Amino acid sequence: MAINSVTDFFQEIASDLYTSLYLATGGSLEEETRDWSAHAVELVSTGIKILILLAVLGFFYWLAIYLVKHSKARIRLSDRREKIARSVLRYIWIVASLIAIMSQVNIEPDTIKATAKASIWAGIYYVLWTSSGHIIHKVLQHYGLNASIEQLLKNILSVLLLVLGLASVMAQFGFDIVSLVAGLGIVGLAVGFAAQSTLANFIAGITILLEQSFQVGDWININDKEGRVVLISLRTTHILTRDNITIIIPNSNVASSEVTNLTSKNFVRFDIRMRIAFEDDIDMARAEILQVLEDTEVVLKRPEPIATVAEIGEYGVFFIIRFWVKQASVARMPKIKEDMQENIKRAFDAANISTPYPHMRLLMPTDKPPTATKSLAATTQTTEKEAINLNKD
């Protein structure tokens, strides 16, 4: 009894599969007998008609591409417009081929009509999407706006065209767009509450792009992190450091932090400090410093660099050296300063200007007994040796 039940079960599955296969290949449930030979002839006939239609459409597509290619010089068609024309022709060929196939496989005429309309709307929005970037670039270039605003507008317009295009396509198949938009609005509110930090970064990103306090290519310092801005997205800001490391900072942190833009002007000033001994001539040292600055290519002649005495300290006279460089040199400032200090030290050595090290000097009174004098001399010698060793360590 159990064996018969299992057999009946598998026979029922096989019958359903047989019926489904027959219906999938264009058969009908109204037929009393399933004549596979006649059905096969019908399938072959349909396949031949589809191939003929595809061959005709393919010929017209090839002809159109041939005319565009060989008429390019005569109608002064640029490479960009040629690519757009090729893309449009390719899209028309694919849509026409799809409709030709659908018309031969017993699909409802309303579905074919809806597919044709949806394809037209999708093509229109695709052309708008591909052209929007070029149009925005031309408009912003005309008004002198930067690349950050361009990226913001491109992102917003891309999302807007995607939503409108999807809504237009779905509307052709009977979807209620108003109810769908309302549902998406409710879902958007729920997602907004669940992702408040992401929303805060998004709003901060728009604020940064609109304020233009810095833009892509600027060299900035934020939260003790210094580098060149390589990307300002709607959620994060990317800066590239001198070590070729990309630091990704959330826009909410950027908006709430103190940002130093080192390249907001045409040139920027930096300074270094050097030291000479008390006995050395200040004017001679200043002349050597200014000569090194004059020989350094990145240092601007106007405004003029200066070297002034900033402090007379315990171990010598301290110079502060101020100089100006262009924006392009900001990224190399550590190396520029190191080379400048080395060159100034070499210039001091050549001019017999000493660079003192921290030391201690004890002066002995002349009226002390010889024994005390020797003791103080020994103490002075020991103290100076300790100071020298400490300076070396």
Side-chain angles (χ1 to χ4, degrees):
M1 186 70 177
I3 295 176
N4 293 334
S5 299
V6 173
T7 304
D8 293 339
F9 175 74
F10 281 106
Q11 286 179 350
E12 184 176 355
I13 292 177
S15 178
D16 290 341
L17 291 174
Y18 178 79
T19 303
S20 299
L21 179 61
Y22 188 77
L23 294 176
T25 55
S28 176
L29 289 174
E30 298 177 357
E31 300 178 9
E32 296 181 359
T33 59
R34 295 170 184 171
D35 188 356
W36 279 98
S37 59
H39 191 55
V41 172
E42 183 179 353
L43 288 176
V44 172
S45 176
T46 302
I48 293 174
K49 287 189 288 185
I50 290 175
L51 291 176
I52 293 174
L53 288 174
L54 293 179
V56 172
L57 292 173
F59 171 77
F60 281 108
Y61 169 70
W62 173 84
L63 181 61
I65 293 295
Y66 179 83
L67 293 176
V68 169
K69 182 178 179 181
H70 288 79
S71 302
K72 176 181 177 180
R74 185 171 56 186
I75 61 178
R76 298 179 180 178
L77 194 65
S78 63
D79 293 337
R80 180 178 173 276
R81 292 181 179 178
E82 181 188 4
K83 291 180 179 179
I84 294 176
R86 285 174 174 269
S87 299
V88 171
L89 291 174
R90 188 182 303 112
Y91 181 78
I92 294 174
W93 171 59
I94 293 174
V95 171
S97 300
L98 177 62
I99 293 176
I101 294 173
M102 294 175 65
S103 65
Q104 300 298 320
V105 293
N106 298 325
I107 294 179
E108 294 293 332
D110 292 339
T111 304
I112 298 176
K113 186 183 297 185
T115 302
K117 291 181 179 180
S119 300
I120 293 173
W121 279 110
I124 292 174
Y125 280 103
Y126 176 76
V127 172
L128 292 175
W129 179 73
T130 54
S131 304
S132 61
H134 182 72
I135 295 174
I136 290 175
H137 177 73
K138 288 294 186 182
V139 172
L140 295 184
Q141 190 177 24
H142 176 73
Y143 289 101
L145 298 178
N146 58 47
S148 303
I149 298 295
E150 179 180 344
Q151 187 62 42
L152 172 63
L153 293 179
K154 283 183 178 179
N155 292 337
I156 294 176
L157 189 58
S158 296
V159 173
L160 183 62
L161 289 176
L162 178 62
V163 172
L164 292 177
L166 184 62
S168 300
V169 170
M170 295 179 66
Q172 306 306 318
F173 294 97
F175 287 93
D176 189 356
I177 302 302
V178 176
S179 301
L180 181 62
V181 170
L184 289 176
I186 296 174
V187 173
L189 289 176
V191 172
F193 283 113
Q196 294 184 12
S197 61
T198 303
L199 185 60
N201 290 326
F202 178 82
I203 296 174
I206 294 178
T207 303
I208 291 170
L209 291 171
L210 292 178
E211 287 183 350
Q212 301 185 50
S213 54
F214 61 88
Q215 54 187 317
V216 174
D218 284 345
W219 194 275
I220 66 171
N221 186 305
I222 174 172
N223 295 333
D224 296 328
K225 298 178 177 63
E226 187 173 309
R228 189 183 305 280
V229 180
V230 294
L231 175 65
I232 304 176
S233 65
L234 294 179
R235 194 183 68 85
T236 57
T237 296
H238 299 200
I239 63 175
L240 185 66
T241 67
R242 292 186 177 92
D243 300 325
N244 202 32
I245 298 174
T246 301
I247 300 177
I248 303 174
I249 308 175
N251 285 332
S252 58
N253 294 350
V254 176
S256 60
S257 301
E258 180 179 335
V259 180
T260 303
N261 190 343
L262 300 176
T263 54
S264 60
K265 303 301 181 181
N266 293 331
F267 44 86
V268 59
R269 193 187 72 181
F270 292 92
D271 60 72
I272 60 174
R273 292 170 66 90
M274 295 294 294
R275 183 175 63 237
I276 64 173
F278 291 110
E279 298 82 4
D280 293 323
D281 187 272
I282 292 177
D283 293 332
M284 182 183 296
R286 181 183 291 111
E288 295 294 335
I289 292 171
L290 294 179
Q291 184 61 45
V292 171
L293 294 177
E294 185 177 352
D295 295 338
T296 305
E297 293 183 0
V298 297
V299 175
L300 298 178
K301 304 302 184 291
R302 292 288 184 275
E304 293 183 0
I306 59 175
T308 57
V309 176
E311 177 187 357
I312 300 178
E314 297 180 358
Y315 308 115
V317 179
F318 290 82
F319 275 92
I320 182 167
I321 305 161
R322 298 183 176 94
F323 57 94
W324 301 79
V325 297
K326 291 185 177 180
Q327 294 178 346
S329 302
V330 172
R332 300 186 293 114
M333 277 318 301
K335 183 65 169 59
I336 292 172
K337 288 183 176 181
E338 293 164 3
D339 292 342
M340 193 176 294
Q341 289 173 340
E342 180 179 344
N343 293 333
I344 292 174
K345 178 62 172 64
R346 294 180 186 276
F348 282 174
D349 293 342
N352 294 323
I353 299 174
S354 60
T355 304
Y357 53 82
H359 65 280
M360 181 181 296
R361 177 180 297 178
L362 297 179
L363 300 178
M364 298 179 296
T366 58
D367 56 348
K368 291 293 182 180
T371 304
T373 302
K374 292 181 180 180
S375 177
L376 286 173
T379 303
T380 303
Q381 185 178 5
T382 303
T383 305
E384 288 183 350
K385 288 181 178 180
E386 291 177 353
I388 292 172
N389 292 333
L390 178 61
N391 182 64
K392 290 181 179 179
D393 293 338

